[in-house]
Amino acid sequence: MNERREFWHPRGLLWIVAFAFLTMSVLPESGFGIPAFARKYRLSCTTCHAPVPRLKAYGEDFAGNAFQLEGKEPARFFRDTGDPILTLQRELPIAVRFDSYVRFQTKEGMRKSDLQTPYGLKFLSGGQIAKDISYYFYFYLSEHGEIAGIEDAYVHFNNLFGTDLDLMIGQFQVSDPLFKRELRLTYEDYQIYKVRVGDVLTNLTYDRGIMLTYSAGTGTDVVLEVVNGNGKGEASPEQNFDLDNFKNVALRVSHSFGPVRVGGFGYLGKEKHRKLVQADQGGQWVNVTDNLRYLGADATLDAGKSLQLNLQFLQRHDDNPYLVHTGAMAVDTKGFIAELIWALQGEMGRSFL
């Protein structure tokens, strides 16, 4: 027996007005907000963002270079400790992001408005530990009115062995090599990345593991991820984060052809749980597993500096998502993302649709 489900983005009749979308940095010695990296390099936020939080190509390169500008690291920002390995920053680079919305919705013939402020409030920090080694994390103080805790938290090793090979270790979003959820401009989320099927914990949002990235220098980028596969939940009573003895693997390959970038994505995973069956007859504990996979393709088209079109198709297959001992039912889930970003006054402007 097979079940089919589909998720589409954007969806429904939903009108969203971005009331305030601010990213700011809080300095220990002052009360005004300046983004930490902009303050360090004395650059405008628009050097990397257009608009905040969406990254431009320069911002993508900066993040991919472990938050360093090659040959432009300001000596004034670091303390001389006499240790050639340690990069000790004079001030902790911290920031606060505050998101607010006004939402208008028509549902069942009724019109409703909602002031969603704050919609999200997060504390961020990131910077260098040593040459070509950096860290990044953020803590959600409030997400939809609840404390979400730590989400991104990783250490980034840049240019391993003198090559364009990078390694990230920690907690990150599996979907980051595709389209970054935290940098989207839309109110509506990328649902196909978030969906969990049946009783299975795996999706393409936060997970713990390692990520290897390699740029061939010819426009081709390769990303390999190895993750636990069960999200960012609490450790078990045995102090294990991975709840089974499997690791899930994802591979992303993309290539740029001038203003067009196309990519392919694959993910293979397996999840095992212990379940009690025949409880009315004394019960027996058995292992039940779900084998799952994602396959997808995506494309980005940059039409000058004013228009960008992002497209993504993903299909997920689970052979036993309800984790039953007998009579397993396979489920196929499909999702499509279409996103058009229009900078009305160019990338240096303040108006975007």
Side-chain angles (χ1 to χ4, degrees):
M1 183 176 181
N2 286 278
E3 177 184 340
R4 303 185 70 86
R5 309 198 307 173
E6 296 187 355
F7 290 81
W8 302 93
H9 171 76
R11 64 177 187 176
L13 298 175
L14 185 64
W15 292 273
I16 303 300
V17 177
F19 178 63
F21 210 144
L22 307 176
T23 298
M24 56 187 175
S25 176
V26 179
L27 306 181
E29 74 278 12
S30 63
F32 59 92
I34 303 174
F37 295 133
R39 176 174 178 266
K40 175 180 177 180
Y41 296 106
R42 296 180 177 177
L43 296 172
S44 168
C45 297
T46 58
T47 305
C48 292
H49 297 276
V52 172
R54 173 176 170 262
L55 285 176
K56 296 160 57 176
Y58 190 88
E60 293 277 7
D61 291 342
F62 174 69
N65 201 44
F67 307 120
Q68 304 170 113
L69 291 181
E70 197 67 35
K72 297 182 180 179
E73 290 302 307
R76 71 181 188 282
F77 210 75
F78 304 101
R79 294 188 182 275
D80 184 3
T81 63
D83 185 343
I85 298 177
L86 176 64
T87 300
L88 183 62
Q89 302 187 61
R90 290 182 178 273
E91 298 164 349
L92 179 66
I94 59 176
V96 172
R97 175 172 163 179
F98 185 102
D99 297 340
S100 295
Y101 296 95
V102 176
R103 184 181 185 186
F104 300 95
Q105 189 176 21
T106 299
K107 187 176 182 180
E108 297 177 353
M110 297 182 62
R111 293 183 177 181
K112 183 179 180 180
S113 62
D114 187 21
L115 301 177
Q116 301 183 348
T117 178
Y119 184 83
L121 179 62
K122 65 171 67 171
F123 174 90
L124 311 91
S125 180
Q128 289 177 265
I129 303 171
K131 179 175 172 52
D132 289 327
I133 303 176
S134 68
Y135 75 94
Y136 176 78
F137 78 89
Y138 68 81
F139 187 97
Y140 242 128
L141 301 171
S142 177
E143 183 179 28
H144 312 166
E146 298 180 351
I147 297 176
I150 294 175
E151 293 193 338
D152 275 334
Y154 58 81
V155 177
H156 184 166
F157 298 88
N158 185 52
N159 293 341
L160 293 176
F161 315 114
T163 69
D164 287 327
L165 178 67
D166 285 19
L167 170 66
M168 290 168 50
I169 303 175
Q171 185 169 287
F172 48 80
Q173 296 209 60
V174 181
S175 60
D176 274 352
L178 302 172
F179 297 115
K180 293 178 171 59
R181 293 177 55 240
E182 291 301 312
L183 303 184
R184 71 186 188 278
L185 300 180
T186 57
Y187 177 92
E188 183 73 4
D189 209 332
Y190 301 150
Q191 296 297 331
I192 188 59
Y193 296 166
K194 291 180 58 179
V195 64
R196 288 189 170 95
V197 182
D199 298 325
V200 176
L201 299 174
T202 300
N203 66 8
L204 297 183
T205 60
Y206 296 98
D207 214 329
R208 297 180 175 95
I210 63 173
M211 181 189 299
L212 284 166
T213 66
Y214 179 74
S215 178
T218 58
T220 300
D221 295 316
V222 180
V223 180
L224 175 67
E225 301 174 82
V226 180
V227 295
N228 287 341
N230 57 291
K232 62 180 183 72
E234 297 179 357
S236 69
E238 295 79 22
Q239 300 302 306
N240 293 321
F241 285 111
D242 197 345
L243 303 181
D244 56 33
N245 56 341
F246 304 116
K247 289 291 181 284
N248 295 356
V249 179
L251 178 66
R252 149 84 168 170
V253 180
S254 65
H255 187 82
S256 295
F257 301 89
V260 179
R261 186 192 69 192
V262 295
F265 178 79
Y267 181 107
L268 290 176
K270 189 172 185 178
E271 191 167 314
K272 180 174 70 175
H273 290 251
R274 294 277 290 171
K275 281 203 169 184
L276 181 65
V277 299
Q278 298 178 338
D280 57 340
Q281 301 177 24
Q284 177 185 3
W285 288 96
V286 298
N287 291 327
V288 291
T289 61
D290 174 53
N291 295 284
L292 65 102
R293 66 175 182 268
Y294 287 90
L295 289 174
D298 63 272
T300 295
L301 169 63
D302 287 306
K305 295 185 177 181
S306 297
L307 286 174
Q308 183 181 76
L309 175 64
N310 297 316
L311 301 171
Q312 168 86 72
F313 174 78
L314 273 176
Q315 178 170 330
R316 169 174 172 162
H317 175 81
D318 294 77
D319 67 3
N320 184 20
Y322 299 102
L323 300 172
V324 296
H325 181 49
T326 58
M329 179 180 68
V331 175
D332 290 306
T333 307
K334 295 180 180 180
F336 183 73
I337 298 170
E339 182 178 65
L340 179 64
I341 301 170
W342 180 19
L344 300 179
Q345 300 157 333
E347 64 176 9
M348 299 300 291
R350 293 291 186 266
S351 300
F352 289 79
L353 288 177

